[in-house]
Amino acid sequence: MYRYRPAEIGMPLSEVDTPSLILDLDAFERNLDRMDASLAGKNIRIRPHAKSHKCPEIAKRQIARGAVGVCCQKVSEAEAMVDGGVPDVLVANEVVGAVKLQRLAALARRARVAACVDDAGNIAQLDAAARAAGVRLDVLVEVNVGANRCGVEPGEPAAALAKAIVACRNLRFAGLQAYQGGAQHLRKVEERRAAIEKACARVKQTTDLLAKTGIACEKVTGAGTGTYLFEATSGVYHELQAGSYIFMDVDYGKNEWTESGIPRFEHSLFVWTTVMSRPTPERAVVDAGLKASSVDSGMPRVTELEGAEYVKASDEHGVLNLSGSVRLAVGDKLKLIPGHCDPTVNLYDNFVCVRGGKVEAIWPITARGAVW
């Protein structure tokens, strides 16, 4: 199937068609460096979340820097990662339905693959799928550590599921999934720290009980960009699942970072857009609307242009309010910082990777768009 590419390698950024998704390689690499520096000397591993980028090229660069593998949210993402050469993938979510279970088990023939559970019936289904495929699957119990999304309650309910996994011939109990997603965008540092302290207490309640029953818990995995250093220094977590740190977005930019110890990662991901209309001195319209940038966490932000505010999005239009001093003409191009990076990435086929004002690479977003 034909896929239009908005850019070619060597092309100046000014000639890149719009809307397109721009990755500033220098900023991206500095973010990788900041993560490495913040974890230096700590007994912790990183398993970055690939739902942020959906791109095996990025995953392989993270693994080359020491990541143990990546996380995904669904089987289709895991398949894209393995197809792209990623050898170790955790589906940090529940996998339900016969077809998805078959695909997960088949994938375990080609790579190290794990999934999460919070239901005894799902454990039996995973065991049957693994048996039919002739594989042994790693399975983690997801514990509700405060986000109140998926996850069994800590303590005895979680321990009961661990026992059920241990009893299955085709499954291996690989630890606990303990992600406090609700903490990531709490604005104040102390709010985020307090939420993770509560999460750690729930995890420890569970690991202590598992130890008493003779079940070894080799791994507790979780954490996100907004809190990862709190989990890293807790003595409870073994793996960190931060993902958005490589890009950042408007929503993460609203967090307070001072005194957290977590570095202030920089924006590296932008929607490149063209002014398509300038109907009044106070208004401009760009070609990046709802189909170019997710607005679930707020509107994108115009960067490198004072006095321009993105205020409204429709399918193919973005409306900017302008102060009287803004000089902007039809055909001018602008960078927008997405409100939420993950679903914005899902709208595009490729990252247009730019360094020094020129296109250096084009990386396919091979896990994008899939709902299965």
Side-chain angles (χ1 to χ4, degrees):
M1 182 173 64
Y2 172 74
R3 293 285 189 183
Y4 173 69
R5 296 207 328 177
E8 297 298 334
I9 293 172
M11 178 183 286
L13 176 59
S14 61
E15 294 180 11
V16 174
D17 202 4
T18 64
S20 55
L21 194 63
I22 303 299
L23 181 60
D24 181 327
L25 287 175
D26 288 329
F28 165 74
E29 289 167 3
R30 286 193 294 269
N31 285 340
L32 293 175
D33 290 341
R34 289 184 180 100
M35 175 60 77
D36 292 346
S38 71
L39 297 178
K42 296 178 176 62
N43 186 26
I44 198 80
R45 300 182 296 270
I46 185 164
R47 181 183 290 275
H49 219 310
K51 73 180 175 69
S52 296
H53 56 72
K54 294 176 172 277
C55 174
E57 290 300 319
I58 290 178
K60 288 187 287 188
R61 281 162 174 76
Q62 292 172 314
I63 291 169
R65 285 171 168 259
V68 295
V70 297
C71 295
C72 293
Q73 281 295 89
K74 50 192 179 182
V75 176
S76 59
E77 289 177 349
E79 289 169 331
M81 290 297 124
V82 173
D83 288 346
V86 176
D88 189 325
V89 180
L90 164 63
V91 180
N93 204 353
E94 286 65 31
V95 178
V96 176
V99 173
K100 291 185 179 68
L101 290 165
Q102 290 168 7
R103 288 163 49 205
L104 180 75
L107 197 62
R109 298 193 191 109
R110 300 196 285 132
R112 183 172 184 177
V113 177
C116 300
V117 296
D118 65 1
D119 178 82
N122 191 212
I123 292 172
Q125 294 162 356
L126 278 164
D127 189 43
R131 182 169 59 253
V135 298
R136 193 164 186 239
L137 278 172
D138 281 2
V139 178
L140 293 85
V141 173
E142 182 164 9
V143 180
N144 178 17
V145 291
N148 297 325
R149 194 170 61 181
C150 295
V152 70
E153 290 305 299
E156 185 53 49
L161 292 185
K163 292 175 188 175
I165 294 168
V166 170
C168 292
R169 294 183 62 181
N170 296 93
L171 304 180
R172 188 181 77 88
F173 174 62
L176 302 179
Q177 164 77 7
Y179 173 57
Q180 214 320 7
Q184 302 311 310
H185 294 282
L186 296 174
R187 299 308 179 200
K188 299 294 185 181
V189 171
E190 288 310 314
E191 291 177 324
R192 300 201 300 277
R193 192 192 312 273
I196 298 309
E197 287 175 353
K198 291 178 181 177
C200 288
R202 289 181 169 221
V203 171
K204 194 168 188 311
Q205 175 189 354
T206 305
T207 55
D208 286 350
L209 183 57
L210 289 172
K212 287 180 182 178
T213 58
I215 298 176
C217 181
E218 68 180 45
K219 176 168 63 183
V220 176
T221 181
T225 295
T227 67
Y228 75 88
L229 207 56
F230 303 146
E231 285 95 340
T233 56
S234 68
V236 172
Y237 283 76
H238 306 94
E239 281 185 359
L240 307 174
Q241 298 177 359
S244 298
Y245 73 95
I246 59 172
F247 297 147
M248 301 305 284
D249 53 30
V250 172
D251 198 11
Y252 262 120
K254 294 175 183 176
N255 277 8
E256 175 188 278
W257 300 97
T258 306
E259 306 302 328
S260 70
I262 299 172
R264 183 179 285 277
F265 298 103
E266 62 187 289
H267 297 293
S268 69
L269 186 75
F270 305 94
V271 173
W272 188 230
T273 187
T274 299
V275 177
M276 59 192 297
S277 175
R278 184 72 199 272
T280 73
E282 298 80 24
R283 186 169 78 251
V285 182
V286 296
D287 64 356
L290 294 171
K291 295 179 181 178
S293 186
S294 175
V295 300
D296 64 297
S297 295
M299 295 294 172
R301 179 161 62 84
V302 181
T303 187
E304 301 175 356
L305 182 66
E306 292 294 327
E309 181 184 6
Y310 192 113
V311 295
K312 180 183 177 183
S314 51
D315 283 1
E316 305 290 355
H317 301 82
V319 178
L320 309 185
N321 280 352
L322 307 175
S323 69
S325 62
V326 174
R327 295 182 180 275
L328 202 59
V330 171
D332 286 349
K333 293 179 179 179
L334 304 170
K335 285 182 181 178
L336 305 177
I337 300 170
H340 188 180
C341 55
D342 299 12
T344 296
V345 168
N346 196 51
L347 299 171
Y348 292 85
D349 292 322
N350 302 288
F351 293 106
V352 177
C353 304
V354 174
R355 196 190 307 271
K358 288 189 176 181
V359 177
E360 182 173 300
I362 297 176
W363 293 342
I365 304 171
T366 57
R368 66 141 304 214
V371 296
W372 31 270

